[in-house]
Amino acid sequence: MAGSRNKWKKYNHLAKSDRIAPHLPETRKLNKDNFYDMLDKHGSIVVKPVDGSGGAGVMFVFKKDGGKTYVVQRGAKRKTYSSKKKAYRRVRRATRKKRIVQRKIALARIRKRPFDVRVMVQRKRGSSHWKVTGKLAKVSGPGYYVTNIRRSRGKVMPFDSAIRASNIRDASPSRLGRSVDRLSLAATRRLRKKFPIRVCGLDVGFDRGGKVWIIEANFHPDISLFKKLKDRSMYRKIVKYSR
């Protein structure tokens, strides 16, 4: 499927929707001007390969001390630089792959660890009806910002349990669950107009106020995450829809 791994193409297609655009963190192609501008504007940014997956090659950059120093973090390792120029140089050295720079959302946390939610949206073969078949929380490992379980040695949690344990203000699992479902369905229907998909695994996050953010969409999501939950009913449903 041409372009199915391209985060930039998927972002641009979603950003043209008035319904979805307010839930997307600002994203641009990586170059020096965009790197500087996004860092000045947001203070914290994420740099990702355009076609990466599983959290590979993801780097976080933070402005500190009012812009006197800059921290670049990859995995659990971080290094401080004395200027934007040096921080950018470090990011450019990491890989020759095309990359995007994205506003870093201050994700809600569970015991000081950021988490996001994997949402599975599927349609059965021959059907045009989309359904949310599962969602779970991915909690990062200690010292990591990436929520990819394998890369950060994190853990999965049932959605409702994660929301109740989080630092989201006035958190209601049912209310937030409905918001996630509605937005995920809208995003998948939008993506279907450009890509011939039957499944979409969305990574969505919450900020502390409970606003839902679409971090990225994956057309080949790893469903084995759902086998890690004690209750396997969602996993069985996802498999059934995959046939």
Side-chain angles (χ1 to χ4, degrees):
M1 193 193 309
S4 66
R5 287 169 59 91
N6 190 303
K7 293 180 174 67
W8 179 243
K9 286 184 179 179
K10 286 184 273 191
Y11 168 81
N12 273 304
H13 190 61
L14 290 173
K16 291 172 184 172
S17 162
D18 292 341
R19 162 77 174 89
I20 298 164
H23 298 275
L24 299 174
E26 183 182 2
T27 304
R28 304 184 195 176
K29 287 184 176 180
L30 178 67
N31 58 42
K32 188 167 73 172
D33 288 343
N34 284 340
F35 181 88
Y36 284 10
D37 189 44
M38 292 278 279
L39 203 45
D40 287 341
K41 186 175 180 181
H42 300 297
S44 302
I45 57 176
V46 189
V47 178
K48 310 176 177 182
V50 165
D51 61 353
S53 62
V58 175
M59 304 177 82
F60 299 87
V61 186
F62 309 92
K63 182 164 66 174
K64 286 190 73 180
D65 305 319
K68 292 178 182 176
T69 58
Y70 297 85
V71 176
V72 178
Q73 178 163 340
R74 185 171 187 175
K77 295 179 180 178
R78 53 169 59 194
K79 190 169 181 181
T80 301
Y81 296 87
S82 59
S83 69
K84 265 187 298 196
K85 185 177 181 180
K86 290 179 180 178
Y88 179 67
R89 227 182 257 155
R90 165 68 184 98
V91 167
R92 292 300 303 187
R93 280 200 313 267
T95 176
R96 291 184 179 181
K97 287 185 177 181
K98 291 181 180 178
R99 279 166 292 175
I100 53 175
V101 56
Q102 189 175 73
R103 172 190 172 188
K104 182 185 179 296
I105 302 301
L107 291 174
R109 293 176 175 246
I110 296 171
R111 298 186 186 88
K112 298 184 178 181
R113 299 185 196 179
F115 77 97
D116 63 16
V117 177
R118 167 61 56 84
V119 187
M120 293 292 296
V121 184
Q122 296 173 273
R123 62 184 176 93
K124 289 183 177 178
R125 195 176 297 278
S127 171
S128 60
H129 178 69
W130 291 98
K131 187 173 181 63
V132 174
T133 52
K135 55 181 178 283
L136 54 70
K138 299 182 281 122
V139 187
S140 72
Y144 283 79
Y145 287 107
V146 292
T147 55
N148 179 270
I149 302 305
R150 194 174 291 112
R151 194 165 295 277
S152 74
R153 296 186 290 278
K155 64 178 181 178
V156 299
M157 289 179 69
F159 177 83
D160 286 11
S161 301
I163 297 302
R164 283 193 288 266
S166 76
N167 64 347
I168 298 172
R169 293 190 294 273
D170 303 318
S172 162
S174 59
R175 177 175 57 80
L176 292 178
R178 287 192 297 271
S179 296
V180 166
D181 288 358
R182 284 193 296 265
L183 184 61
S184 297
L185 285 165
T188 301
R189 290 186 184 113
R190 172 74 186 168
L191 288 164
R192 175 66 182 89
K193 292 179 179 180
K194 188 174 181 68
F195 303 97
I197 55 174
R198 277 185 57 216
V199 59
C200 188
L202 291 126
D203 286 333
V204 304
F206 298 101
D207 57 29
R208 285 191 61 189
K211 179 176 177 176
V212 187
W213 295 90
I214 297 175
I215 299 167
E216 59 185 60
N218 187 341
F219 300 153
H220 305 281
D222 178 9
I223 67 172
S224 68
L225 286 175
F226 289 86
K227 287 178 79 171
K228 298 178 183 294
L229 294 174
K230 190 175 180 181
D231 181 352
R232 296 280 186 91
S233 59
M234 276 189 290
Y235 176 73
R236 290 192 292 270
K237 188 174 188 177
I238 291 164
V239 170
K240 184 179 177 181
Y241 266 73
S242 300
R243 290 175 184 146

